[in-house]
Amino acid sequence: MPLDNPADLFLYELSGLYDAERRSNQFVGEILGRTEQSPLAQILRAQQQQGQQKIQNLETCFAMMETEPEDVPCLTVDGMRAEFQAFAGQGPSMEAMEIYTVDAETRLAHLGVAAYHGLIDKALLMGEVQCAQILRTNLVQQQENAGTFERISHELGQRVAMNV
């Protein structure tokens, strides 16, 4: 894919975000498999459903621009997944697994927040107002996810501190 102008760059970054959302959703499924007995499972299932909606929203952006996503792999999510798998391979306690999971989900949400901010700005500059609105919807969900996991992280930290 040639990257000759701002529209090409936008499509490239949007394609990368599309891949990130797809990989993130798969990653959440993996996490769910390891935390099914945890109180986090319900939150993760809801996040997975939101992830599907964000993916559909991005597909709508591509359709409005009359194009298909390019093959732009998100290696950042792959790295986060590899780190999680390495941690899980250490056989952590359920409590340690919950804390690590929440921290990983917080990092993943903030990655999405940063990506959506940049793409919204580019979409508006290119006159893709409807796509920008869709991206903003996804951004709000990402911000809510980040806030949820930050709150849970704080609560888990308090719980652990009380048990020390």
Side-chain angles (χ1 to χ4, degrees):
M1 163 185 198
L3 296 171
D4 297 328
N5 56 55
D8 293 342
L9 177 61
F10 177 74
L11 179 58
Y12 181 86
E13 290 183 4
L14 187 63
S15 296
L17 182 59
Y18 178 70
D19 186 70
E21 288 291 3
R22 291 175 53 223
R23 289 176 193 247
S24 294
N25 221 34
Q26 292 169 349
F27 183 27
V28 171
E30 283 180 34
I31 292 171
L32 260 169
R34 296 186 185 269
T35 59
E36 198 61 48
Q37 303 305 315
S38 166
L40 291 175
Q42 182 178 355
I43 293 166
L44 292 169
R45 276 191 287 280
Q47 183 186 3
Q48 199 172 35
Q49 289 174 345
Q50 281 184 350
Q52 273 307 120
Q53 182 60 53
K54 287 186 286 188
I55 291 166
Q56 291 171 358
N57 288 350
L58 292 174
E59 289 169 349
T60 300
C61 276
F62 287 111
M64 286 190 307
M65 295 185 308
E66 299 178 354
T67 189
E68 294 288 324
E70 299 290 328
D71 183 22
V72 181
C74 182
L75 303 178
T76 305
V77 175
D78 287 347
M80 294 174 82
R81 175 187 263 159
E83 287 178 7
F84 182 85
Q85 290 169 341
F87 177 80
Q90 299 294 313
S93 68
M94 177 63 87
E95 185 175 66
M97 189 68 174
E98 284 180 345
I99 292 168
Y100 192 85
T101 296
V102 169
D103 290 346
E105 288 295 328
T106 302
R107 288 190 300 273
L108 200 56
H110 282 288
L111 170 68
V113 167
Y116 280 109
H117 272 294
L119 281 171
I120 290 167
D121 191 44
K122 287 178 181 78
L124 289 172
L125 290 171
M126 291 176 26
E128 296 287 349
V129 176
Q130 288 180 312
C131 185
Q133 289 171 336
I134 289 170
L135 294 171
R136 189 170 309 281
T137 297
N138 283 7
L139 170 64
V140 169
Q141 286 182 348
Q142 286 293 101
Q143 291 170 322
E144 288 172 357
N145 286 343
T148 296
F149 284 110
E150 288 168 2
R151 179 185 50 77
I152 293 169
S153 178
H154 179 74
E155 291 169 1
L156 284 173
Q158 284 181 319
R159 187 177 78 200
V160 169
M162 290 180 167
N163 292 332
V164 173

